Amino acid sequence: KAGVTQTPRYLIKTRGQQVTLSCSPISGHRSVSWYQQTPGQGLQFLFEYFSETQRNKGNFPGRFSGRQFSNSRSEMNVSTLELGDSALYLCASSPVDSLGTDTQYFGPGTRLTVL
Amino acid sequence: AQSVSQHNHHVILSEAASLELGCNYSYGGTVNLFWYVQYPGQHLQLLLKYFSGDPLVKGIKGFEAEFIKSKFSFNLRKPSVQWSDTAEYFCAVNRNSGAGSYQLTFGKGTKLSVIP
């Protein structure tokens, strides 16, 4: 099976712009989560989607948003970019079982640089 | 809110030395526990996981971890490291609400450098 894919892999934006990142989960996986990775804060949970619904949200401002499509693909959007948004954004997918005990598989990430 | 602590920021070992990386979490309920590894230039990969049952779990590449519930710990071990184990290791916890919701809380990571 192909792994989690993320596009684009690298992105350079300027402050005030907005950006959309895309994630295609492993085939058959219905849960998609997003994380931000920075040297200072480490890996932080952004949000999780399942069946096109946001089930969980981390402690990030409303400038960070996401959505999931019927084919489980997901996008995240960051509006009004700030310098501090420079980070590696990781997407992870899970097959989901009814007990919530499954594993997340990570993509290679999108490296966002805000100038 | 739950948190995960990894005791060592950077560990330097010689090849064949034994490894133990500490991980403690703060949540009293049912948790799922993971160790992920990030090799230089690669994405996060799952090393091993604990959901229930035998608290000693074995993962890939000779790694194992022991869940000690009374100590809220999930330490990673390997009896003999190799240069190829040079990577950053992350402990992560998913609070198991039984509702199938996934929200991993990660530790800050431990960089392991293995000297040939």
Side-chain angles (χ1 to χ4, degrees), chain B residues 54-116:
Chain B
D54 188 343
L56 186 62
V57 292
K58 296 192 183 299
I60 61 171
K61 304 186 180 187
F63 286 91
E64 65 179 30
E66 185 176 14
F67 170 52
I68 303 179
K69 189 174 182 180
S70 60
K71 294 185 178 180
F72 299 91
S73 70
F74 190 54
N75 293 352
L76 181 70
R77 299 195 291 247
K78 185 171 184 179
S80 176
V81 295
Q82 302 172 321
W83 176 78
S84 58
D85 293 325
T86 295
E88 190 159 15
Y89 293 81
F90 295 91
C91 180
V93 173
N94 182 26
R95 189 176 62 199
N96 185 352
S97 65
S101 176
Y102 301 93
Q103 179 176 343
L104 285 176
T105 300
F106 282 88
K108 294 286 192 188
T110 297
K111 286 185 181 169
L112 171 65
S113 299
V114 180
I115 303 168

Side-chain angles (χ1 to χ4, degrees), chain A residues 20 22 35 40-41 54 58 64 81 85 87-88 101-102 106 114:
Chain A
T20 299
S22 182
Y35 295 83
Q41 298 299 317
Q54 186 181 88
F64 292 81
L81 283 166
D85 297 333
L88 182 66
T101 57
D102 230 309
F106 285 81
V114 182

Side-chain angles (χ1 to χ4, degrees), chain B residues 16-66:
Chain B
S18 64
L19 170 72
E20 180 158 3
L21 301 182
C23 172
N24 286 90
Y25 65 93
S26 65
Y27 179 68
T30 303
V31 293
N32 302 324
L33 300 160
F34 305 83
W35 276 97
Y36 283 88
V37 61
Q38 193 168 33
Y39 297 103
Q42 297 186 28
H43 59 276
L44 276 171
Q45 300 172 38
L46 181 68
L47 261 184
L48 47 78
K49 60 187 178 184
Y50 172 81
F51 290 159
S52 63
D54 188 343
L56 186 62
V57 292
K58 296 192 183 299
I60 61 171
K61 304 186 180 187
F63 286 91
E64 65 179 30
E66 185 176 14

Side-chain angles (χ1 to χ4, degrees), chain A residues 6-11 21-22 87-90 108-112:
Chain A
Q6 293 186 244
T7 56
R9 293 292 311 277
Y10 301 91
L11 208 47
L21 313 181
S22 182
L88 182 66
Y89 290 88
L90 296 173
T110 294
R111 172 76 61 188
L112 172 64

